[in-house]
Every structure is written in structure tokens, then in C-alpha cells.
Amino acid sequence: MPRYAAGLQDVRDAQERIAPHAHVTPVMTSSTLDSLAGRSLSFKCENFQKVGAFKTRGACNAILNLSPEDAARGVVTHSSGNHAQAVARAAAIRGIDAHIVMPRTAPSVKRAAVEGYGAKVYPCEPNLTARQALADEAVQETGATLISPFDDPFIIAGQGTVALELIEQVDHRLDAIIAPIGGGGLMSGLCIAAKGVDANMRLFAAEPAGADDAARSMAAGRMIPQTSPDTIADGLLTSMGENTWPIVRDHVEQVITVTEVQIVSAMRLVWERMKIIIEPSSAVAVAAVLCDQFRAVSGLNHVGVVLTGGNVDLNKLPW
Amino acid sequence: MPRYAAGLQDVRDAQERIAPHAHVTPVMTSSTLDSLAGRSLSFKCENFQKVGAFKTRGACNAILNLSPEDAARGVVTHSSGNHAQAVARAAAIRGIDAHIVMPRTAPSVKRAAVEGYGAKVYPCEPNLTARQALADEAVQETGATLISPFDDPFIIAGQGTVALELIEQVDHRLDAIIAPIGGGGLMSGLCIAAKGVDANMRLFAAEPAGADDAARSMAAGRMIPQTSPDTIADGLLTSMGENTWPIVRDHVEQVITVTEVQIVSAMRLVWERMKIIIEPSSAVAVAAVLCDQFRAVSGLNHVGVVLTGGNVDLNKLPW
């Protein structure tokens, strides 16, 4: 048994640590979606989470866990999306400085949201090299701690709390959990937590065909980084990391890839039928449970589907 | 004490009658909306109701209550919106014919939804006279029972179940309930139910300035019908009826009117912050709790807000 970056006890600790600052999000069902999927689905609504995404969980866990000395020097991260807001909010809760490197191209509403939590935004060129360089610079200058978006034990443990809640909310009736995979922070946390409380739980990852590093990595048996991703699911562009990959490799049964058309169609279906707003990255998991490949998997009567977030620019809808 | 079309016991009977066929919809909260409103708000999410609107409740109650003889002859209604779907679905549950008069201009998706429940659609000219004439004709020809969209004791009692649920879900902590008013079926049902279980409950109605018959009727002390309504809130175009008006007159403390800009802004705010889809008619109540007039009402620490429905054409958003 390999030693992973985080274990079940870390997830349980995270659950206690973040409880005052994160919602226990509701679980929703839809008879329409059940019919289309051919089985019972329980949707874990992290779109209703604080800052509109599960990222709140990991960011709170990592930042609340910092020693007083480390916390006093603040935190740094680079993100164009939900992790930026989550770190900014968690830093505000802890009462410490947050330095957030964001691409110049990020929507002004996202920048405003981060600044609304009192964080300092550092605009950079919109590529990973520039982001990391500027984040490293901020760490050097301030002595602040870098809060990774996914490849960190406390982030992994924090995201894993989604599974602890979900499994309990549906009275341990789940056969499997499926969630979108990007850097693998959520997916690896779900694996650790779900397998920890139920060794028979089956884990599936959903991925855009336009950013299918997890599918290719699983097929190859070694981590293959994502290059030039191309998908509307802007939360799933990154490669896995050295902490998340081994957990995903050892626990995920299948990676289901879906097309852009399937993603947009699933997103619209959820808006129209479930009356809730999910972002494209969330729709990847919905598209996966509706596709033939997943419908053909046997033995899955009841599947938990993680709806990861609901932050969408209402002026730029994909239909 | 005047005798009204429905009383608390009718609402309790309705609750039992519709229980197998209608969701107990969740109640949601939002710290952002609370801040903007200056008080605690509990949102009753009828957008998550079957067919996407509270109309399911009244239609189920009225149709399940029909005698076997009446039921055998089927039901008729005229509606361009949620009531049409609700009647079609309730008739399908009862296993009887439904004849639905719809304006030719109704979106094809709404017509398809009604037909999807096995109902027969009768297209008519898009005005109330034509609708009523064709509905009367269908009644004459088939002997079917006309199911009014609002001015019927069983419809009123059915919609009133919203209040029974809501009050219980928030542990009787509400000082007031506010809901949009159109024909007054929902509003009068809420009044009967809420005042029935708590004589101190305060009731408020929210109305578009472009269809303000309730506000003008209350000011005049007599029912003034709505002529040429002009609002995006397409569920609130109708006048009150002889059954709903006396209940509204005697129980509603204030009618709050809001502008089209306020309605669209409130709708977008709920989509962005609460991540749920509500239709413009629902947004009227949200706009009302955020406006200065309502904020100035004293003694309201905790207000229940009925989000009436979530059926929106995603290709025609008002922003």
C-alpha cells in the first residue's frame, strides 16, 4: 500500500476544521436525469457552496491549518477562477494577507470578487509559466505560503469532505461517485474519503476530450501532462500533480471523456430541468453519466455526481 | 367574518391529497440577499416543484378532487404557461383527458411539454376572449370540467400548501410571507393557510408596476380589473377573481409594486448569487423585498419569500 499525501483521518480533520466556514451543501435528485442515466443519481450541489464552488473546502482547510507564524506572513496563489476567490475568502476569515496572481484576461467580475475579500491581485500574462513565476516572486518577497490549487495534502483532504458529506446524506446507499477531474485535487480527495469509509465504493472521473490528460495517463500507467487543452470547461485545464496522480491512478476505475457538445448539452439540461446553475466544468460529470460508455457500466444502481461549481458569466452563455 | 372560498382545513386536505404527486420543495437562504434586504429571508423554492412551478399544487388538488363521474369526462383549461403543464400532468396522473387551450403564440417548447403529458392542445388567438370562448366550447362539447388557473376553491387551497410547508420548515420563525400576485390564487391560499396557523403572520403581495391591479384594487377598496398589462412577469398578467379578491383584500397588509428594471435585476441577482433559476414572475417578490418601501416596514425580522417558478426560455434572457 503506497503512502498517499492524505488519508481518511486528514479528511475527517478537515471536515471539523472547515465546518464553521463552509456549507454542508444539499443533495438534489431529478427524475428526468435518472431516466436519461438509467439509474438513480444524487447530485452534490457544490454550486451552492460559499464562493460558488467546492474550492472553498480545500482553501479553508489549508489556510486554517497554517501555523500562526506562517499565517502571519500571508498566502499566495495563482488562479483565474474559483480557487482564487476561495483563497481570498479563507485568508479574510483568518485575517491574513492574500496575494493572488491572476491572468490579465480574467473577467473583471472575478477580479472584483477577489478584491472584494481584501486580497491583492497581481495581473500576469495568461500562461502557466508567467503565473508560476509571478507567484514565486510574491513568495520570495513576502515570505507568504503558496496555496496550491490542487497538489497539496490539505487541499486534497479539504475537497475530500465532499464525499464524507454526500455518503452520509444518502444514507450510505451509493455504489459509486463520479466527479470532473482537472488537477485531481477533488478527485483524489473523493477517493481517499470514499474508499476510506466504504472499501466497495467505486470511483469514476469525468474529463473533457479536449483536456484528457487523466484518461491518457491512466491508459499509459504514468502521468502524462496536459498540453494545449481546448475546452469550455475552464476549471479542468490543468495537469495532475505528484500528490494527486498516485491516488487517482490507484483508485479511479475509469475516466470517462466527453465532447464539447455533450458538455454544453448537459449544462443546459441541468439548467432547464433541475433549475440550478452549474458551470461547464460541473456539466462534464453530468455529460459523463448520460453517455453510453458510463450507462454500460454494470452494478451501479445509485451514483453520486459532484456538481463542482456554479460560477458562470451570464452574458456569455454557450447557446 | 366573511365566508371565503377556502379555509385552513381545505388547505390541510389539499396537503394530504397532493402529497404523493408534489415535492415538498426546499427552503434556501442567502447571506448576500439577507444583507441587501436588511433582514433574514427564507426562500421557498417552488422553481424546484414538479413542472417547475407551484401551479402543480392547485392543479393536482382540483383534479384529484373530482368525482369519478366528472373525472371521466376530462378537464379543460386555458393557459399559456405553468398552469397548462400542471393541469396536463395532473390529468395524466388521474388517467383522464385534458383539453388545453393555448395561444398560438405560446413557445413551441411549452406546447410540446403539455402534449408530452398526453393532453390535447387547442391553439387560439392570443387574447383572453378567444381563450375563454374556445375553452367554453371544449366544455360544451366534451362535458369536461373547467379547471380555473386561480379563481377556484380547490386551486386556492392547493396553492396554500406552500405556506403550511414553509412555516413548518422554518420552525414557525416567520414574521411575514411575501409572494407575487397575479390572479391571486397563490396569494389567497397563502393568506388562508398562514393566518390559519398563525394569526400574527403578516402577508405581503408583490406586483409589477406594469400590471398593478392588486395595488389599485387595494387602494380603491374594490376590485379593479387589469387592462393592457405590460410586464416581463408573464405569470402576473391577469386580474383577480371573485373568490381570490375578498381573501386578498382582508389579509394582505401591503402590495409592493416594482419596476421592470428592478424585476430583471433581482432575477439576475438570484441566478448569480443563489445559483438557481427563477422566472421573472418569481423575481417580482425578490425585487419587492429589496426595495426601499419594503425595507422600511418595521417588525419584520424573518420573511418567507415564495419563488414561484423557474420556467425560462434560455434563448431569450432579459440581459
Side-chain angles (χ1 to χ4, degrees):
Chain A
M1 185 77 175
R3 263 192 80 194
Y4 299 119
L8 177 60
Q9 190 55 49
D10 299 309
V11 185
R12 293 204 192 282
D13 292 345
Q15 191 170 33
E16 198 178 324
R17 198 175 284 125
I18 72 175
H21 308 293
H23 291 310
V24 173
T25 52
V27 172
M28 291 184 76
T29 59
S30 161
S31 49
T32 304
L33 274 286
D34 283 0
S35 298
L36 294 171
R39 47 176 65 109
S40 295
L41 304 175
S42 288
F43 295 94
K44 180 65 170 164
C45 292
E46 289 295 296
N47 53 331
F48 297 150
Q49 188 50 269
K50 289 284 182 186
V51 315
F54 73 93
K55 294 282 189 180
T56 282
R57 297 173 183 264
C60 278
N61 191 44
I63 289 172
L64 293 174
N65 176 66
L66 293 174
S67 69
E69 299 72 36
D70 285 345
R73 288 190 295 275
V75 289
V76 174
T77 199
H78 55 90
S79 162
S80 59
N82 297 331
H83 179 65
Q85 277 192 66
V87 167
R89 175 175 173 272
I93 288 169
R94 185 89 196 248
I96 63 177
D97 290 343
H99 311 274
I100 315 281
V101 176
M102 297 185 85
R104 291 183 202 286
T105 49
S108 60
V109 59
K110 292 204 171 178
R111 180 174 170 160
V114 167
E115 289 176 334
Y117 289 113
K120 187 170 177 197
V121 171
Y122 298 71
C124 74
E125 295 309 309
N127 62 68
L128 192 59
T129 315
R131 277 160 56 160
Q132 283 174 335
L134 197 54
D136 289 345
E137 209 174 289
V139 169
Q140 296 278 328
E141 276 179 24
T142 62
T145 303
L146 183 69
I147 306 293
S148 160
F150 53 87
D151 203 34
D152 173 285
F154 289 91
I155 296 290
I156 293 169
Q159 322 301 32
T161 61
V162 169
L164 292 189
E165 279 179 24
L166 171 58
I167 290 169
E168 193 169 311
Q169 285 170 309
V170 300
D171 297 329
H172 296 259
R173 288 181 284 104
L174 292 184
D175 300 306
I177 296 176
I178 187 165
I181 188 163
L186 173 64
M187 195 71 233
S188 59
L190 296 173
C191 288
I192 294 298
K195 287 282 190 186
V197 297
D198 178 358
N200 295 321
M201 184 74 70
R202 297 163 69 182
L203 278 301
F204 293 83
E207 196 175 40
D212 64 345
D213 59 303
R216 288 182 292 119
S217 299
M218 290 290 274
R222 63 186 169 82
M223 190 169 75
I224 300 177
Q226 182 64 46
T227 53
S228 57
D230 182 14
T231 173
I232 188 178
D234 57 355
L236 308 178
L237 304 178
T238 46
S239 306
M240 287 178 287
E242 59 186 32
N243 288 305
T244 58
W245 159 243
I247 302 175
V248 169
R249 178 194 63 204
D250 294 351
H251 296 88
V252 169
E253 181 172 327
Q254 270 186 55
V255 180
I256 312 285
T257 58
V258 292
T259 66
E260 297 296 291
V261 169
Q262 288 175 302
I263 297 168
V264 173
S265 163
M267 178 172 160
R268 183 162 180 155
L269 183 73
V270 168
W271 286 41
E272 288 184 336
R273 294 308 182 106
M274 297 182 66
K275 312 296 180 189
I276 62 175
I277 290 181
I278 61 168
E279 58 188 61
S281 301
S282 305
V284 171
V286 180
V289 296
L290 300 180
C291 79
D292 291 341
Q293 184 188 345
F294 191 75
R295 286 170 50 89
V297 178
S298 62
L300 303 182
N301 292 317
H302 195 152
V303 176
V305 184
V306 183
L307 300 178
T308 47
N311 292 324
V312 176
D313 183 345
L314 294 179
N315 289 326
K316 290 183 187 170
L317 297 178
W319 49 70
Chain B
M1 188 75 174
R3 265 192 79 196
Y4 299 118
L8 177 61
Q9 190 55 50
D10 299 308
V11 185
R12 293 204 193 281
D13 292 345
Q15 190 170 34
E16 197 179 325
R17 197 176 284 125
I18 71 175
H21 309 293
H23 291 308
V24 173
T25 53
V27 173
M28 291 185 76
T29 58
S30 161
S31 50
T32 303
L33 273 286
D34 282 0
S35 298
L36 293 171
R39 47 176 67 107
S40 294
L41 304 175
S42 289
F43 295 94
K44 180 65 171 162
C45 292
E46 289 294 295
N47 52 331
F48 297 150
Q49 188 50 270
K50 289 283 182 185
V51 315
F54 73 93
K55 294 283 190 181
T56 282
R57 297 173 183 264
C60 279
N61 191 44
I63 289 172
L64 294 174
N65 176 66
L66 293 174
S67 69
E69 299 73 34
D70 285 344
R73 288 191 294 274
V75 290
V76 173
T77 199
H78 55 89
S79 162
S80 60
N82 298 332
H83 179 65
Q85 276 193 65
V87 167
R89 176 175 172 271
I93 289 169
R94 186 88 196 250
I96 62 177
D97 290 343
H99 310 275
I100 315 282
V101 176
M102 296 185 85
R104 290 183 203 285
T105 49
S108 60
V109 59
K110 291 204 171 178
R111 180 175 170 157
V114 167
E115 289 175 334
Y117 289 113
K120 186 168 177 199
V121 170
Y122 299 70
C124 73
E125 294 310 308
N127 63 68
L128 192 58
T129 315
R131 277 161 58 163
Q132 283 174 335
L134 197 54
D136 289 345
E137 210 174 288
V139 169
Q140 296 278 328
E141 277 180 22
T142 61
T145 303
L146 183 70
I147 306 293
S148 160
F150 54 87
D151 203 34
D152 173 285
F154 288 92
I155 296 290
I156 294 169
Q159 321 303 31
T161 61
V162 169
L164 292 189
E165 280 179 24
L166 171 58
I167 290 169
E168 193 169 311
Q169 285 170 309
V170 300
D171 297 328
H172 296 261
R173 287 181 285 103
L174 292 184
D175 300 305
I177 296 176
I178 187 167
I181 187 163
L186 173 64
M187 195 71 234
S188 59
L190 296 173
C191 288
I192 293 298
K195 287 283 191 186
V197 298
D198 178 357
N200 294 320
M201 185 74 72
R202 297 163 69 181
L203 278 303
F204 294 83
E207 197 174 41
D212 64 344
D213 60 304
R216 288 183 291 118
S217 299
M218 290 290 274
R222 64 187 166 82
M223 191 169 76
I224 301 177
Q226 182 63 46
T227 54
S228 57
D230 182 16
T231 174
I232 188 177
D234 57 355
L236 309 179
L237 304 178
T238 46
S239 307
M240 287 178 287
E242 59 186 31
N243 288 306
T244 58
W245 159 243
I247 302 175
V248 169
R249 178 194 62 205
D250 295 349
H251 296 89
V252 169
E253 181 172 326
Q254 270 187 56
V255 180
I256 312 285
T257 58
V258 292
T259 66
E260 297 297 289
V261 169
Q262 287 175 303
I263 297 168
V264 173
S265 163
M267 178 172 160
R268 182 162 180 155
L269 183 74
V270 168
W271 285 42
E272 288 185 334
R273 294 309 182 104
M274 296 182 66
K275 313 297 181 189
I276 61 174
I277 290 180
I278 60 168
E279 58 189 59
S281 300
S282 304
V284 170
V286 180
V289 295
L290 300 179
C291 79
D292 292 341
Q293 183 188 345
F294 190 75
R295 286 172 49 90
V297 178
S298 62
L300 302 182
N301 293 316
H302 195 152
V303 175
V305 183
V306 183
L307 300 178
T308 47
N311 292 325
V312 176
D313 183 345
L314 293 179
N315 289 326
K316 290 182 187 170
L317 298 178
W319 48 72

